[in-house]
Amino acid sequence: MKITLNGRRREVRTVDFDVRQNEVVLIDQRRLPHRFQFSRTRNFRQTAVAITNMTVRGAGAIGAAAAFGLAQGARAFRGKDSQAFEAHVDAVFKTLAEARPTAVDPLNAMRQVRGRMSGTVAAKQKQALQAAREFADADVAECCAIGRHGARLLRAGMNVLTHCNAGALAFVDVGTATAPLYATNKRIHIFCTETRPRAQGAALTAWELAQHGVPHCVVADTAVGHLMQRGEIDLVITGSDRVLARTGEVANKIGTYQLAVLARRHRVPFYVAIPRSTIDWEMRRGVDIPIEERDEAEVLGAATAAGWRRTANPGSRARNPAFDVTPARLVTGLITPVGIVKPGELRRLRSKLG
Ligand code: MRU
């Protein structure tokens, strides 16, 4: 993505890899929008921590971070013993897979990397990095394709609502829900839901849109019903952390389900933009998707430029499910790299999307 830093335009990726140092390089998303800085992880354990503490976040971005983390772990192995190497890679895989449970992208990304590793230890180490790089590049290419397909839904002057952050920061670059905006010349206005409790919409999506000069405003999550009732929203596009091919159910940031219910109530089309890595081909029921429960402190406070501040009554407790699952019948369509499809059509398209 192109950003302006201290008056200078520069091109950056959300997730990258430094081969010489064997380090994963991440835009530190915990600091945005107040400070832009990169963070480096020196080993796979640090990479897993960066995923858990949301230095890097968003389904595609944690997919790429896990792919690079697996390569990083594989490359750190010393010796030629194939069995010991495989045991080591198993442990790296497990650590990264457990860093965040809801998005399927890290699993798909690491399976892809592992599937490419064969031969001697040295050959596998080389192939792991190559495969991680290919995953990252494919992520960008797929987001561009999503942009081209999604742009067909846009008409000049539209008001589009998006939730959380499924933009360039949530992927290696470009993003999914925001990709159609970057692929069109039409003037579109975006409503970014604040997305409590971590405010990815207010902090990250708004920052990205401002960097791209896209007209937008932030709304409280609770304002959406009112805006839809008044006819102020024409279209909703969100991302997803896991779409079940068998049922078409969509796991996404907490609050997505209620947006989809409101959109149906007010006949607003509700689209979900996803790359291939977000599709779960095996899971049978949305209720089986592991929903991450995060620290209650996130709900009991709010992020400020000066750090985290408690806003809730002292002594009160909280629940903090980070994702929810939207049934397929509430989803108008999935914007994929191969076109816009109905959630129920995914299985038929496995040869193209699998
Ligand atoms: O908890 P996060 O910020 O990692 O959540 C991910 C998201 O931003 C959303 O759920 C998004 O719509 C899907 S990721 C492209």
Side-chain angles (χ1 to χ4, degrees):
M1 83 190 98
K2 275 211 167 60
I3 62 162
T4 307
L5 258 187
N6 306 323
R8 277 188 44 226
R9 212 68 184 133
R10 65 185 274 201
E11 187 76 36
V12 292
R13 277 189 166 194
T14 303
V15 184
D16 218 330
F17 194 75
D18 180 336
V19 188
R20 292 248 295 270
Q21 307 292 335
N22 201 34
E23 290 178 352
V24 183
V25 184
L26 305 164
I27 295 177
D28 190 337
Q29 302 195 36
R30 297 166 307 169
R31 314 264 173 241
L32 287 171
H34 310 294
R35 217 162 68 209
F36 183 91
Q37 81 185 40
F38 288 100
S39 169
R40 286 170 167 262
T41 62
R42 300 222 302 267
N43 55 54
F44 76 88
R45 284 204 177 76
Q46 285 188 4
T47 304
V49 170
I51 293 172
T52 303
N53 71 18
M54 294 175 69
T55 301
V56 60
R57 41 125 327 263
I62 62 173
F68 281 127
L70 191 70
Q72 179 183 40
R75 294 175 89 234
F77 180 84
R78 297 283 165 256
K80 293 184 178 168
D81 181 339
S82 241
Q83 246 182 335
F85 176 75
E86 287 304 325
H88 168 74
V89 175
D90 280 346
V92 176
F93 189 108
K94 188 167 179 293
T95 304
L96 290 161
E98 286 171 354
R100 285 194 84 188
T102 302
V104 75
D105 305 63
L107 290 177
N108 283 337
M110 289 194 292
R111 284 179 187 142
Q112 198 171 308
V113 171
R114 249 196 131 165
R116 290 279 305 281
M117 294 161 65
S118 66
T120 62
V121 169
K124 285 178 180 167
Q125 288 172 319
K126 203 167 153 201
Q127 291 151 356
L129 180 56
Q130 202 175 325
R133 279 211 185 289
E134 279 168 23
F135 178 87
D137 291 342
D139 178 86
V140 180
E142 289 189 25
C143 287
C144 291
I146 286 168
R148 289 193 293 277
H149 293 298
R152 290 186 0 235
L153 300 170
L154 303 178
R155 293 189 310 276
M158 259 187 166
N159 286 294
V160 178
L161 179 112
T162 189
H163 187 52
C164 195
N165 173 263
L169 290 165
F171 290 85
V172 175
D173 201 347
V174 183
T176 55
T178 51
L181 308 172
Y182 304 146
T184 185
N185 292 326
K186 294 175 187 144
R187 198 161 172 83
I188 308 292
H189 174 264
I190 307 298
F191 286 108
C192 316
T193 51
E194 181 191 15
T195 319
R196 281 282 299 156
R198 288 191 67 103
Q200 292 96 324
L204 304 178
T205 306
W207 179 81
E208 272 188 35
L209 295 175
Q211 288 286 341
H212 283 89
V214 177
H216 65 279
C217 68
V218 178
V219 291
D221 303 327
T222 41
V224 175
H226 167 75
L227 293 170
M228 285 188 179
Q229 197 176 44
R230 298 276 165 115
E232 292 193 43
I233 295 171
D234 301 305
L235 178 70
V236 179
I237 309 180
T238 73
S240 171
D241 298 271
R242 188 187 297 239
V243 174
L244 302 195
R246 286 172 184 269
T247 65
E249 287 159 289
V250 170
N252 195 46
K253 180 52 54 192
I254 193 77
T256 304
Y257 171 48
Q258 63 200 35
L259 293 182
V261 170
L262 280 169
R264 176 54 54 92
R265 168 76 179 80
H266 296 286
R267 300 206 169 95
V268 176
F270 185 93
Y271 285 88
V272 178
I274 51 160
R276 289 176 162 89
S277 61
T278 301
I279 304 172
D280 184 331
W281 297 98
E282 307 307 329
M283 195 173 275
R284 291 174 181 277
R285 308 175 314 163
V287 72
D288 294 331
I289 297 173
I291 299 295
E292 179 183 9
E293 286 263 352
R294 294 189 62 88
D295 194 325
E296 64 176 358
E298 292 181 351
V299 174
L300 296 170
T304 71
W308 205 256
R309 291 285 176 272
R310 187 172 175 114
T311 51
N313 174 54
S316 294
R317 304 291 310 265
R319 279 279 311 278
N320 189 11
F323 298 91
D324 59 26
V325 179
T326 298
R329 64 179 179 281
L330 297 179
V331 178
T332 312
L334 300 172
I335 311 171
T336 77
V338 303
I340 301 178
V341 304
K342 292 277 173 209
E345 286 180 299
L346 278 183
R347 277 181 91 181
R348 189 173 60 72
L349 293 170
R350 185 154 191 181
S351 58
K352 281 184 172 179
L353 281 166

